[in-house]
Amino acid sequence: MQKITEKKEKNWLIKSTDSPEYLARVSDIARALGINPIVAKLLYNRGYTDERSAKAFVYMESEMLLDPFMMKDIDKGIEGIKAAIERGDKITVYGDYDVDGVTSVCTLYLYLKSLGADVDYYIPNRAGEGYGVSAPAIDAIKESGSKLIITVDTGTTAVEEVEYAKSIGIDFIVTDHHECRSDLPIALAVINPHRPDCKYPFKELAGVGVVFKLICAYEERICGKSRRDAALSIFSQYADLVAIGTIADVMPIKDENRIIVRYGLAMIENTDRIGLSALIEAASAKNDVQRSVQKKKKTKITSGYIGYTIAPRINAAGRIKTASLAVELFLSEDKARAKEIAEELCHTNKERQSEENKIMQEAYKKIGQYDIEKNPVIVLDADDWHHGVIGIVASRITEKYTRPAILVSFEGNEGDTPSPDDVGKGSGRSIKGMNLVDALCHCSDHLVKFGGHELAAGLSVTRGELDNFRCLINEYARWILDEKDMIPTVEADCELDFSDVNLALAKSIQLLEPFGVSNPIPGFVLRGVTVNDINGISEGKHTRLSLGNGRHNISAMYFSNSPASLGIYVGDKVDVLFNLDVNEWGGRESAQLIVRDIKPSQIQKNQQENEKERFEEIKNGANFTAEEDILPDRNDFAAVYRLVQNSLRLGVDTLKHRDIISKLKSCDDSPHIGYVKLKIIIMVFKELNLITIDDVADETYKFKIHYSTTKTKLDKSTLLRRLRSQMTRTGS
């Protein structure tokens, strides 16, 4: 059985070319906008290939905001809302429990409140109710007195549920952005840019983005404002919420989304929303100890900060507890209560992280028995995995192994004995090349229900159908995916010369913010730079490197990678794929590389291959010169022996060949010992039984020293005597 290997060498895809047309277009863009030619390359690589489109992207011209009435049924939607408000009907906003759902609920709830509507909200509990609209939820909303339900970030597949609501006197307006199936709910309006009959040109709005267009349309048509004034009015009140949902749902940061996120981040920077301010304060509290010596610096609000710091805390409410807690935070006007909720969300996020790590370790054990020839889709299940966390774990598995992953949990089923009728809730992530919704459609006969996006989806499956589902989705994947689809790829915009990497370029890149999907943080490649220093930080979890070209050095950070995991050593020539960042420390700014991948350069690879070939030649009897410095003397043997002895005292009995060379280089009193010389020393140690050395992997040794009171005579080595006979003097 072929097992999944944990680490594959990544394929680097560099977007820029040397074609005359490419270089001419880039030059035109740089000249027209008065920008750095490298920044012009970044614009071209993102699809802005002429002066007009590049300028529109950089300066976000207002005409990029599209007419909301191009969206199918949006006119029916606003008329339905207007009629309900005029009748005094109670309205319930029904949302999903993720960040997009929470921000969608808050945005529409606050807007309807501002219109004087009688409005409530409902978010199903992930564990008890699961995703989407359900009949019991409709019954509860009916009981509360509501006559209109408006879904946000959900509802497109709720055909039967909407029909049921109609039968008990409740109207529905659906707003959503998930992919559609063949039949849609028969509601007052179904507003979804993914509808096949919807001519709205920008299909990649988040759920909260669809809500944004709905209320912009209401401001324009019902309140009588111009399109621009309507949008500016809504931006001024809700851009922060719309931006958070857009970023958290990993929507492309282009076209309308770029405008939304730019406005939103600026609004968050100086937010007066009590709940959001409390959450930012609570999230940054962990840094207070580090900042105690220096003045606490204001948090810089970027799409990365929202995606990696704020969004997980909002999501944690829906995953571990109830998403209504996050809604209460954003609606709160009480500072004390907002602070209390924000701190609870941070604590809940820590619980989520702990649960995630537990499930991750269990999943890795199951993956260890997976056959990738037969199963390109990793489908795992357990009885007790937390429903709210399996999606995150599936995402991490997909990222680690570059293949689709689906985790199913049968948590919450009644009875002590597993039954074929038990329903498991699953969460899946996919890779480019396999649309997950299409794959689930192919397997629909074996599923209770499913829904989602191209790269992320949810599903329900019975225990009795799980194996059939696993077989069928893997059959589909073998048909749809090629081997190359499962090789991890890292994209870079262009290669740079060392002299290009400076603070001026790092600051120029900020012109393209905010970054995200479709507008990624720019990636660059440096080739053949020298590793001058390597240090582990945060107890070895991360690595700081100093890289140079012989004249200048630059600092680089490689997060979530320990020095030992890199296979890179001081003195090596390496190629680095990185993002360029502005590092602020002690009141000074400098350029810093954020490494995304690092590997030996071709020069380094050639050198290593030459060393191996040379060793094999000498081992097989080839002559060598004294000037090659490969024949060890007693000092060389003593240096290696001491190093091994010291390692064993520290509890380390296994070392790589190049580890030993690197460690010897760092010792001031050690002689120079290169690749071939160390190979000879290891062979002699084995021959004379001075040290027990087991080859545990390619050029990795496990040592055990035999301590002796008698001095070992190296002349006893047959190998050394033979090698001396092979050595020649220059000119002899």
Side-chain angles (χ1 to χ4, degrees), residues 504-572:
L505 177 60
K507 288 192 168 184
S508 295
I509 291 168
Q510 294 173 349
L511 186 68
L512 305 187
E513 292 180 343
F515 297 119
V517 177
S518 294
N519 183 35
I521 298 174
F524 304 104
V525 170
L526 279 175
R527 296 199 184 274
V529 294
T530 302
V531 179
N532 293 322
D533 198 13
I534 305 175
N535 288 295
I537 60 173
S538 297
E539 299 178 343
K541 293 177 185 175
H542 315 296
T543 302
R544 179 185 287 118
L545 304 105
S546 175
L547 305 173
N549 67 344
R551 297 183 301 278
H552 304 286
N553 295 325
I554 192 165
S555 174
M557 288 297 306
Y558 201 175
F559 293 105
S560 302
N561 285 268
S562 66
S565 71
L566 304 184
I568 299 295
Y569 302 89
V570 171
D572 281 359

Side-chain angles (χ1 to χ4, degrees), residues 559-618:
F559 293 105
S560 302
N561 285 268
S562 66
S565 71
L566 304 184
I568 299 295
Y569 302 89
V570 171
D572 281 359
K573 298 281 188 184
V574 296
D575 296 340
V576 187
L577 195 153
F578 63 95
N579 305 129
L580 187 58
D581 193 25
V582 177
N583 182 41
E584 298 179 32
W585 182 254
R588 297 182 62 186
E589 294 181 331
S590 61
Q592 178 176 259
L593 312 189
I594 306 299
V595 178
R596 291 169 55 200
D597 197 23
I598 189 168
K599 61 178 82 170
S601 69
Q602 195 57 51
I603 296 171
Q604 185 71 29
K605 289 178 181 177
N606 291 344
Q607 179 184 327
Q608 290 172 209
E609 284 303 313
N610 290 339
E611 288 172 340
K612 289 181 180 180
E613 288 176 11
R614 186 60 178 144
F615 168 69
E616 289 299 325
E617 290 171 354
I618 293 168

Side-chain angles (χ1 to χ4, degrees), residues 63 87 106 121 130 160 186 193 236 269 305 308 322 339 351 357 379 390 423 451 480 486 521 562 570 586:
E63 52 266 32
R87 289 192 302 265
C106 293
Y121 65 87
E160 295 176 3
I186 300 173
S236 68
E269 193 85 48
Y305 177 78
Y308 294 108
T322 169
K339 181 181 179 182
E351 288 182 44
N357 290 333
V379 183
I390 55 176
V423 176
I480 205 82
M486 291 178 281
I521 298 174
S562 66
V570 171

Side-chain angles (χ1 to χ4, degrees), residues 644-694:
V644 172
Q645 190 177 48
N646 290 336
S647 293
L648 289 170
R649 284 172 181 161
L650 294 171
V652 178
D653 64 356
T654 304
L655 294 168
K656 293 180 180 179
H657 194 83
R658 296 192 66 225
D659 277 338
I660 299 171
I661 295 171
S662 179
K663 289 176 186 296
L664 289 168
K665 279 183 182 177
S666 66
C667 298
D668 295 334
D669 58 345
S670 289
H672 174 264
I673 298 177
Y675 178 88
V676 178
K677 184 184 283 189
L678 180 58
K679 278 284 189 181
I680 293 169
I681 290 170
I682 295 294
M683 290 174 69
V684 172
F685 277 153
K686 285 182 177 181
E687 179 194 6
L688 298 178
N689 201 28
L690 291 171
I691 305 176
T692 297
I693 303 173
D694 295 324

Side-chain angles (χ1 to χ4, degrees), residues 409-433:
S409 174
F410 291 96
E411 179 189 45
N413 282 287
E414 296 180 358
D416 298 329
T417 305
S419 164
D421 296 326
D422 291 343
V423 176
K425 294 172 184 174
S427 189
R429 300 294 184 270
S430 193
I431 58 176
K432 287 182 180 179

Side-chain angles (χ1 to χ4, degrees), residues 359 363 366-367 370 376-382 385 390-391 393-398 403-409 424-431 434-437 439-440 443 447 450 455-461 466 469-474 476-477:
I359 295 174
K366 292 175 182 285
I367 291 169
Y370 229 78
V377 182
I378 300 171
V379 183
L380 308 175
D381 67 284
W385 286 345
I390 55 176
V393 178
S395 182
R396 286 177 60 182
I397 290 172
T398 294
R403 48 199 4 94
I406 297 171
L407 269 63
V408 177
S409 174
K425 294 172 184 174
S427 189
R429 300 294 184 270
S430 193
I431 58 176
M434 193 179 97
N435 183 309
L436 192 51
V437 172
L440 296 177
C443 306
L447 298 174
F450 65 91
L455 298 178
L459 59 94
S460 295
V461 60
L466 181 60
F469 166 69
R470 182 184 282 114
C471 289
L472 191 57
I473 198 167
N474 273 291
Y476 179 86

